[in-house]
């Protein structure tokens, strides 16, 4: 009996020792990252910058905020995104796109971009423990709100909205970015450097934001993934008390290597509008040689309808909905006035003079635009040249009818 009790006691002791070892090992795994006395690494915050993708909305890349709490095994990426669907591009043009913050486990976030072949670089922010806690709380609240914020690609995008959130929780501190050298020559060279690989985005910038060419725009309002990757390493965080520290804690690190080679459409604006110009010249030669045929009139009607539709969108976007805070010089030549004059006055004897006047306006604007932006703006000059040729041809055809 005594030996049985002795054996049971030994087994119990061994079981208790094994259980304590398991608990100690689990505790060791759970506290594998030692929290510093000031708790500064209890939560870590970093910006993830993703390289450009194939889609139109990803041509500049993407940015997200990564928040980690290793001791609690929490690791999420907060990304400012829109809901892309079949009508998303039209909603964007009309300034109706809404976006919001999504919270995604970091493993899944990295894997999604890894499958696309896009690279990801991490920039660890040098925020205080309290700021990181408040940032997490603020982002959680925005995730709950859903898609309710604006998205216009210029001033409200995946990068600028992240830093709006960061600035909102820094009550006595602020980010200070060095002014990029390219901006010292104006906004147009900056746009060329950012959108040089995407000619259609460069074209749209001038179409929508020509007035910003010579305006002083704060660096904060120009933030985008490629610019952010350049600025963060030189940025500082300044306090109202005069304190100053680097914006980053350590050097950037590559989380996912870039493998994707982005190939852009061969149909650049220069090629498309060169073809349009050649077509308009050919059309005018045929009209001068053979007279105005029915199919030429139908072609002019289609071109005029496209022009009117584009003008209405430009007026809506520039003046009413999307930006609407500055004059858009493109409205001088792209506006609904020609359509209104055609609708109300096309049977008046003096109406033919409208085409000549409009041709003069276009030719004057063709001289003005490169002088204003400081660049040739070849795609726009080709488009305007096509319009001017058809206006002159229409004027001549009206004179031929009258004679």
């Amino acid at each position: 009996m005594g030996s049985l009790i002795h054996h049971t006691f030994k087994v119990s002791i061994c079981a208790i020792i094994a259980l304590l070892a398991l608990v100690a090992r689990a505790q060791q795994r759970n506290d594998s990252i030692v929290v510093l006395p000031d708790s500064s690494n209890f939560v870590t915050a970093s910006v993830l910058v993703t390289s450009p993708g194939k889609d139109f909305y990803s041509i500049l890349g993407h940015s997200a905020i990564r928040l980690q709490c290793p001791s609690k095994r929490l690791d999420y990426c907060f990304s400012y995104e829109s809901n892309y669907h079949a009508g998303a591009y039209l909603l964007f043009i009309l300034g109706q796109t809404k976006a919001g913050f999504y919270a995604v486990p970091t493993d899944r976030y990295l894997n999604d971009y890894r499958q696309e072949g896009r690279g990801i670089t991490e920039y660890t922010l040098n925020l205080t423990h309290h700021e990181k806690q408040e940032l997490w709380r603020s982002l959680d609240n925005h995730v709950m709100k859903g898609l309710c914020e604006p998205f216009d690609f210029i001033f409200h995008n995946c990068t600028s909205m992240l830093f709006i959130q960061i600035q909102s929780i820094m009550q006595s501190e602020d980010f200070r970015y060095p002014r990029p050298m390219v901006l010292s020559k104006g906004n147009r060279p900056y746009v060329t450097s950012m959108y040089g690989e995407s000619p259609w985005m460069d074209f749209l910038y001038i179409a929508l934001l020509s007035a910003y060419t010579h305006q002083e725009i704060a660096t904060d309002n120009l933030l985008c993934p490629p610019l952010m990757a350049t600025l963060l390493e030189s940025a500082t965080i300044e306090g109202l008390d005069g304190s100053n520290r680097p914006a980053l804690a350590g050097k950037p690190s590559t989380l996912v290597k870039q493998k994707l080679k982005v190939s852009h459409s061969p149909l650049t604006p220069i090629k498309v509008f060169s073809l349009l110009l050649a077509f308009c010249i050919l059309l005018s030669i045929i009209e001068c040689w053979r007279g105005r045929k029915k199919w030429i009139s139908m072609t002019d009607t289609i071109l005029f309808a496209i022009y009117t539709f584009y003008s209405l969108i430009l007026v809506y976007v520039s003046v009413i909905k999307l930006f609407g805070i500055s004059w858009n010089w493109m409205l001088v030549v792209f506006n609904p006035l020609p359509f209104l004059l055609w609708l109300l006055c096309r049977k008046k004897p003096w109406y033919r003079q409208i085409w000549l006047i409009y041709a003069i306006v276009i030719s004057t604007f063709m001289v003005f635009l490169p002088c204003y932006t400081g660049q040739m703006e070849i795609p726009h000059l080709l488009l305007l040249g096509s319009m001017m040729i058809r206006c002159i041809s229409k004027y001549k055809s009206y004179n031929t009818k009258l004679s």
Side-chain angles (χ1 to χ4, degrees), residues 48-64 79 81 84 109-121 153 158-159 225-226 254-262:
L48 303 186
V49 177
T50 305
S51 62
K54 294 180 178 179
D55 297 312
F56 172 79
Y57 54 82
S58 63
I59 58 172
L60 291 181
H62 187 60
S63 299
S79 175
E81 301 176 13
Y84 296 103
Y109 183 88
L110 298 179
N111 188 56
D112 287 345
Y113 286 109
R114 186 180 290 111
Q115 290 179 357
E116 294 183 28
R118 297 167 64 181
I120 299 179
T121 304
F153 206 82
C158 63
T159 305
T254 301
L255 301 183
V256 179
K257 290 185 178 180
Q258 168 79 13
K259 294 182 179 179
L260 176 68
K261 292 184 178 180
V262 180

Side-chain angles (χ1 to χ4, degrees), residues 43 51 64 73 114 182 189 208 230 280 350:
V43 173
S51 62
R73 296 185 177 278
R114 186 180 290 111
V182 68
L208 296 173
T230 303
C280 289
W350 48 264

